Structure formats: structure tokens, C-alpha cells
Amino acid sequence: MSDYRLLSLAPRGEHALSLSLADGDGEAFELTVGESVWQALGAPSEGDVLDEGAYHRLREAHEGRLAYQAAVRILEYSSLSRRGLYQKLVRKGFSRRSAELAVLRMSELGYIREDEQARALAASLVRRNLWGPRRVLTALCAKGYSREDAEGAIASACEAGEIDFASSKRALLAREAKKGAPPEKLRATLYRYGY
């Protein structure tokens, strides 16, 4: 079991502290944690020795902050489902727990709005690709939306008039007929497109 010495602490942004620590071998490193975490550990002072349990709480809090920051950066570039964001964070090397907490926080803050995202994606897939209900459902599930959420998004988009599968099917058939496709090819195309 190792002990860790708190070498220094300094304010880091609002409600955060940068802690400089040294392990038993004298190797120094820094962790950034929220003031509440530091307070929960008894507000250790410079020179204090922290036990293994305190160190792990600090390390977990530090990783949680990094996972939160990574999640914000990821979501700045694209909309993702909760599962999609979780998978990206884990692939970046964050622990499952840190990734779960970051995803939960993003949902609480409204950065992940799966209903709206899935509905917009479903409408886009039908409009752009002329896909049918089966293919859209499969695509939404592949993006990380639950089957229930995907089905709800498709139904909601249909009710709002954002998706008209009958019209898309007619457009697909008309496009393929212009190419001179025989009836058996038309049936295969409809199947492949999810009708």
C-alpha cells in the first residue's frame, strides 16, 4: 500500500483545485478535482500524506472531469446517442464508470436529446436514401438508439409528416423503373431498401 504526499494545491477555474502529488517513489504528478471532493477528504493541506483510498477518490474525480470535458468536445462535433457517446469515451481510454457518469451528466444538461436526434436522423435517411421502415430502424439501432426509441422516433416523424414511406417507395420505384429494372429486380430493391 502506497502513501501519497500533497506537494501543493492551487485554484483551477471555478470550484476546482489543481493538486500536485508525489507517490512513494517521489514521482510527482498533478490531478484536478472539484473543491467538493477535496473538502470530502478533509481539505488536506500541503505536506499532508494521503492514503491509498484518498488517492483513488482523487484519481477517480480527476478522470471524471477529463471524461466530462472529452464528452463536451465530442458532442460539439456531432450528435450522438447515449450509447454512442459512452462507446467513444471508453475507446478513448476512460473507465466504464467515468464514461457512464459523463454520459449521464450530458443527458442531464440536455446535450443529448435522443428523441429529437433519432427523429431527425430517421427523416433524413428516408428523404436522402429513400429507405423503408426496416432499413431506417436498423440504421437507428446501429447508431446506438434502443429499438423502442428508434420505433418511437419513426412513428413520431411519420405522425408529424416528416416521413412518408409510401411516397418514398413510389419515388424509389420510379427511379428504378427509369433504369429499366425488371419486376424481380424491383422486388429485390424494395427488400434491400427496407420495404
Side-chain angles (χ1 to χ4, degrees):
M1 181 130 84
S2 296
D3 287 330
Y4 299 85
R5 184 170 301 281
L6 179 58
L7 301 175
S8 67
L9 59 124
R12 180 86 180 253
E14 196 173 326
H15 306 294
L17 294 169
S18 178
L19 308 176
S20 181
L21 298 157
D23 63 17
D25 297 329
E27 291 289 324
F29 56 95
E30 287 193 18
L31 300 175
T32 302
V33 299
E35 284 181 8
S36 60
V37 174
W38 176 70
Q39 291 285 350
L41 292 174
S45 302
E46 291 178 3
D48 285 355
V49 175
L50 305 174
D51 64 17
E52 190 84 22
Y55 164 74
H56 284 294
R57 287 184 65 191
L58 291 172
R59 173 63 71 189
E60 187 176 87
H62 175 74
E63 184 178 322
R65 289 179 67 81
L66 294 177
Y68 171 85
Q69 292 166 351
V72 169
R73 282 191 305 275
I74 290 167
L75 292 175
E76 284 176 348
Y77 292 99
S78 67
S79 297
L80 292 171
S81 64
R82 286 186 287 270
R83 189 176 94 194
L85 178 59
Y86 170 81
Q87 289 172 337
K88 278 197 176 216
L89 290 170
V90 169
R91 279 195 304 268
K92 285 186 171 286
F94 292 104
S95 70
R96 294 179 187 275
R97 176 154 171 72
S98 293
E100 287 170 1
L101 292 174
V103 169
L104 179 63
R105 188 73 178 125
M106 295 299 106
S107 295
E108 289 170 350
L109 292 172
Y111 295 148
I112 298 175
R113 294 180 302 278
E114 288 193 335
D115 302 0
E116 295 170 24
Q117 294 166 345
R119 181 173 158 174
L121 180 57
S124 172
L125 291 172
V126 173
R127 195 173 41 253
R128 188 177 64 234
N129 302 335
L130 301 175
W131 286 357
R134 277 192 342 268
R135 183 90 184 256
V136 172
L137 178 63
T138 301
L140 290 176
C141 290
K143 287 279 191 185
Y145 300 102
S146 71
R147 182 177 183 91
E148 181 181 309
D149 288 346
E151 288 172 342
I154 293 168
S156 175
C158 287
E159 288 171 16
E162 296 167 358
I163 292 178
D164 181 355
F165 285 119
S167 176
S168 278
K169 184 177 180 181
R170 282 192 301 276
L172 177 62
L173 288 171
R175 184 182 77 190
E176 294 301 309
K178 279 185 181 178
K179 295 177 186 177
E184 59 275 1
K185 177 143 169 94
L186 291 177
R187 280 191 297 278
T189 298
L190 286 174
Y191 180 79
R192 198 172 68 251
Y193 275 69
Y195 289 100

